Amino acid sequence: MTQRIDTIAEIAGGYDAVVFDQWGVLHDGTAPYPGAVRCLEALARPVAVLSNSGKRAAPNADRIAAMGFARPFDTVMTSGEALWRDLDAGLIPHRRLYPIERAPGDAEHWAGGLDVTLTGFDACEAILLMGLPDGSTLGAWQPMLERARARGLPLYCSNPDRASPRRGGQVISPGALAFAYRDMGGEVAFYGKPHRPIFDSLAAALGTSRLLMVGDSLEHDIAGAAQAGWDSVFVGGGLYADTFSTGDWAQALATLAPPHAPTYFIGALQ
């Protein structure tokens, strides 16, 4: 049964390290959530980030620090970093990639050091889906997906999230596009949570398996942690903020019917 807690510090002593999701837990994409900076500073344990970000680890660490998180993270692991490492290791055969990115230049910056070529759609061997421009809709991308399916192009998704919390609401994330392509019969390789390899990679980097995952996605953070054998804290103030804004938290959680119950529940990071 899920237990409600008031602060992460009250349970952190039972773990060797605490692992945090980014968006919806630490910040809203623009600024830290109230209490988040203080929460990390109060922990007498190693802390890490495990994020479904299409960008590599270093830019994410820089972004978090720029928001005012003074305490450095012991490890930052992103889905974009995991994909970069597989390409660098030669585990992926395709070398001519058509990038879909949130902002121009994101893919070029991400691909630094790799033996790959970023091309237009007609010349590519595969699609690199690492971000979506702000304001994107699935309908706008449907013609491209149909063309990709007709050519049998594989799609590498380095952000499996279907939606992300932002100040004032939510936006669709690359995962929504990748799942739509898979539903059309397209070949999709997902990197990031809830898939087991990224959890194992972080555990190996930290040198322990006694880890606590703190996240706001039941589908990615909580389910992935359960499959990896980690305990978890579900944060109600992120993706599901509207659901937990009123009423009983346990009843609200039950209505979501998560496939894996979180170990703990907290309204917001404290």
Side-chain angles (χ1 to χ4, degrees), residues 121 127 129 138 142 144-156 175-190:
F121 181 85
I127 297 171
L129 174 56
L138 286 180
Q142 189 66 25
M144 187 278 294
L145 293 181
E146 292 173 355
R147 291 171 62 201
R149 181 68 186 94
R151 289 183 54 195
L153 294 175
L155 183 151
Y156 294 94
L177 198 65
F179 281 105
Y181 188 56
R182 190 181 70 173
D183 290 344
M184 295 168 59
E187 177 186 347
V188 179
F190 289 100

Side-chain angles (χ1 to χ4, degrees), residues 178-219:
F179 281 105
Y181 188 56
R182 190 181 70 173
D183 290 344
M184 295 168 59
E187 177 186 347
V188 179
F190 289 100
Y191 278 77
K193 301 171 290 186
H195 306 285
R196 181 66 181 268
I198 198 168
F199 286 85
D200 290 343
S201 293
L202 182 58
L206 289 169
T208 180
S209 59
R210 201 169 65 129
L211 298 169
L212 179 68
M213 179 77 221
V214 183
D216 70 321
S217 170
L218 293 167
E219 178 184 7

Side-chain angles (χ1 to χ4, degrees), residues 245-267:
S245 61
T246 59
D248 179 77
W249 70 270
Q251 183 178 5
L253 182 60
T255 64
L256 295 173
H260 299 278
T263 315
Y264 305 100
F265 172 86
I266 192 169

Side-chain angles (χ1 to χ4, degrees), residues 101-175:
E101 55 195 351
R102 182 182 181 189
D106 282 352
E108 183 177 1
H109 186 264
W110 170 86
L114 290 176
D115 179 24
V116 299
T117 301
L118 303 178
T119 75
F121 181 85
D122 292 336
C124 76
E125 300 172 330
I127 297 171
L128 167 65
L129 174 56
M130 60 179 296
L132 290 176
D134 290 343
S136 288
T137 63
L138 286 180
W141 289 97
Q142 189 66 25
M144 187 278 294
L145 293 181
E146 292 173 355
R147 291 171 62 201
R149 181 68 186 94
R151 289 183 54 195
L153 294 175
L155 183 151
Y156 294 94
C157 177
S158 60
N159 183 345
D161 288 353
R162 298 174 189 260
S164 295
R166 292 289 188 272
R167 180 172 294 181
Q170 295 185 17
V171 297
I172 67 165
S173 290

